[in-house]
Every structure is written in structure tokens, then in C-alpha cells.
Amino acid sequence: MNTILLTLLVSAVIAFVLGILLGFFKKLFFVPVDETVAKIRDCLPGANCGGCGYPGCDGFAAACAAGNAPVNGCTAGGAEVAKNVGAVLGVEADAARYVCLTACRGSKECALPKGNYTGVKTCAATKTVGINGVKQCAFGCQGFGDCVAACPFGALKIGENGLPVFDYEICTGCGACAKACPQGLIQRVPFERQGAIALCSNRNPNKAAILKQCKAGCIKCGKCERNCSQQAIKLENGIPVVDYTKCNSCGECVAGCPTKVLVLQQGYLQ
């Protein structure tokens, strides 16, 4: 009995001493918290997606409070979060909505495979084992879903055609999928932007090779550039690039594209 009481007494004394020491060290090593940073952090969705360009929501909150990040920099939160952050800082904020899309139409039906791939089932792996992808088109989507795994919102999946399919009701345009794509195929674009966009990233100048590798690839015919009445399209590295300050969404380039690479963004996509 005495042993039990002695044990309880010693345990209580140790707990008391440790409590005092913890309180002492808490004060000794206390780091003041910036209330502005804390308030901004409370406004953020906590996705830690990195779409703002900073290491998570804490990093963005600190940068925003210091004036190094824009008030509307949280892509995941959108306009509502931008408004709340602006209220904390006493400024007006207007956040444009962004979404992501895949600049590739090399589906299973269109893009030919090199053969049977038995390696690690990730897009990144196919680019690092020396085979330069599993498809004959070295620029196309590999279809293993690295982008899907990286999306913190569950906004995309690999469709039956082997290409990423976005749910634009969910997609915030954070860009996590774009960072995960080893091919650099996923683009982050304004949701409200209208005009044509080329869903192909094949920069091979050999037209015959492109048609052999992918039936849906841009063949660099230049018809879109020649036919654009607004002179809004230029071929850059073999890819049609649109000047959206000139494009009026007339659709002439879309209708005239022989491989249907060009599509209109409004709608989203048409």
C-alpha cells in the first residue's frame, strides 16, 4: 500500500515539475503570431494545393500579409475567399475564376502506342525509363493519371478515351494537375475567356509523321493562320497560338481545321 501511495506521490511531483517546465519553455521560446496572418489563414480553404505559388495556405497567408502576394492569389478559394482576404487587409479584391484543360486530343483511338508497356503505371515513369512515353507521339498525354492523383479536389478523371476529363463544376484552376503533368500538356486558363484554343502540343515539323503517330494531331498546315480574318492566330513552334485581344470567336479557324485541333473555349469547351 505504501509503495502505491509513494508511486502516486512521485508521479504527481514529476507531473507538476514538468508542467512548470513546459510553461517556462513556452514563454522562453514563444514566437509572436501576426494577427493579420492568422486572420488571412482563417479565410483560406485549407487545400494546400500550391496553386498560389506558395508552400500551402500558411505560406500564402504570410506572403499576402507582407504584401508579397496578391489578395486574389488563392485560386482554390475563388472570388469569395479573395473578398474575405481583401476585407482583412482593407482593400477591394476581384478574383477571376480559372480552370485547367489538356492540350492534347491523342485518345486511345487516335494516338498509336509503341507497344505493350509493363513498367510503373505513372506518366512520370514513362518519361524517365528511356522510352520517352508509351505513345508514338512523344508530345502526347500518357494517360496514367498523374494529374488525377495530384488534384486535391477530385475534379478530373481519366476518361474511357484515355485522356483527362475535367469536371468544371469542381475545378478551381489551382494548377496542381498542371505541375504534375510531365508532358506540360495541362494549361490553366481564365474560365470566362472566349476564343479558339489548340488542343495539341505536337511540335514535330514532319506532317507525315504526325498523321502516322496521331490522327488528331495538328499537321502544321497553317490554314487557321491564313484564314483568320482578325489575324489573331500565329504558328509558334508548330502550335497555333491565339491572341485573345484580337480573337472574336467567329469560329472560322475551328470550322476550317482539318484535324479538328482547334475548339472554342466558351461553353466550356465547344
Side-chain angles (χ1 to χ4, degrees):
M1 187 65 179
N2 291 335
T3 302
I4 296 175
L5 292 175
L6 180 61
T7 301
L8 291 174
L9 178 61
V10 172
S11 299
V13 171
I14 292 174
F16 179 73
V17 173
L18 289 176
I20 293 176
L21 290 175
L22 286 174
F24 171 75
F25 285 115
K26 181 180 179 181
K27 289 185 177 181
L28 181 64
F29 296 106
F30 175 73
V31 178
V33 177
D34 188 327
E35 291 186 4
T36 302
V37 173
K39 289 180 180 180
I40 293 175
R41 180 63 182 84
D42 289 340
C43 296
L44 304 179
N48 291 314
C49 60
C52 58
Y54 292 89
C57 295
D58 290 335
F60 172 74
C64 192
N68 297 324
V71 174
N72 58 0
C74 177
T75 56
E80 185 64 26
V81 167
K83 178 181 177 181
N84 293 337
V85 172
V88 172
L89 298 175
V91 297
E92 292 288 335
D94 181 23
R97 181 187 172 189
Y98 284 83
V99 293
C100 292
L101 55 83
T102 307
C104 177
R105 304 198 82 181
S107 64
K108 293 178 180 179
E109 295 77 18
C110 297
L112 299 177
K114 291 180 179 179
N116 293 324
Y117 175 70
T118 58
V120 178
K121 306 296 185 181
T122 67
C123 304
T126 67
K127 300 293 291 183
T128 58
V129 294
I131 63 172
N132 197 25
V134 297
K135 294 180 179 179
Q136 291 188 21
C137 176
F139 303 94
C141 173
Q142 302 303 300
F144 288 115
D146 291 23
C147 51
V148 175
C151 179
F153 305 101
L156 72 162
K157 63 181 180 180
I158 297 298
E160 293 182 359
N161 64 355
L163 295 175
V165 177
F166 287 87
D167 183 344
Y168 291 116
E169 295 295 324
I170 303 174
C171 179
T172 66
C174 70
C177 55
K179 294 178 182 178
C181 178
Q183 297 285 69
L185 296 175
I186 299 180
Q187 301 178 18
R188 180 172 172 265
V189 300
F191 184 82
E192 300 299 331
R193 189 173 73 184
Q194 297 190 355
I197 189 169
L199 298 185
C200 179
S201 299
N202 192 325
R203 297 179 291 280
N204 189 341
N206 188 329
K207 297 180 182 179
I210 293 172
L211 287 174
K212 181 180 179 180
Q213 295 165 356
C214 179
K215 298 177 182 178
C218 174
I219 58 175
K220 327 302 177 194
C221 64
K223 187 176 180 180
C224 55
E225 182 176 358
R226 293 192 301 271
N227 291 353
C228 180
S229 60
Q230 305 300 313
Q231 297 182 332
I233 301 180
K234 298 291 182 184
L235 288 179
E236 297 183 8
N237 294 323
I239 302 298
V241 177
V242 178
D243 182 348
Y244 294 102
T245 63
K246 297 179 179 179
C247 179
N248 63 0
S249 298
C250 67
E252 292 178 359
C253 58
V254 175
C257 180
T259 53
K260 305 305 177 184
V261 164
L262 286 160
V263 295
L264 293 176
Q265 286 183 241
Q266 57 266 42
Y268 206 97
L269 300 160
Q270 291 183 1

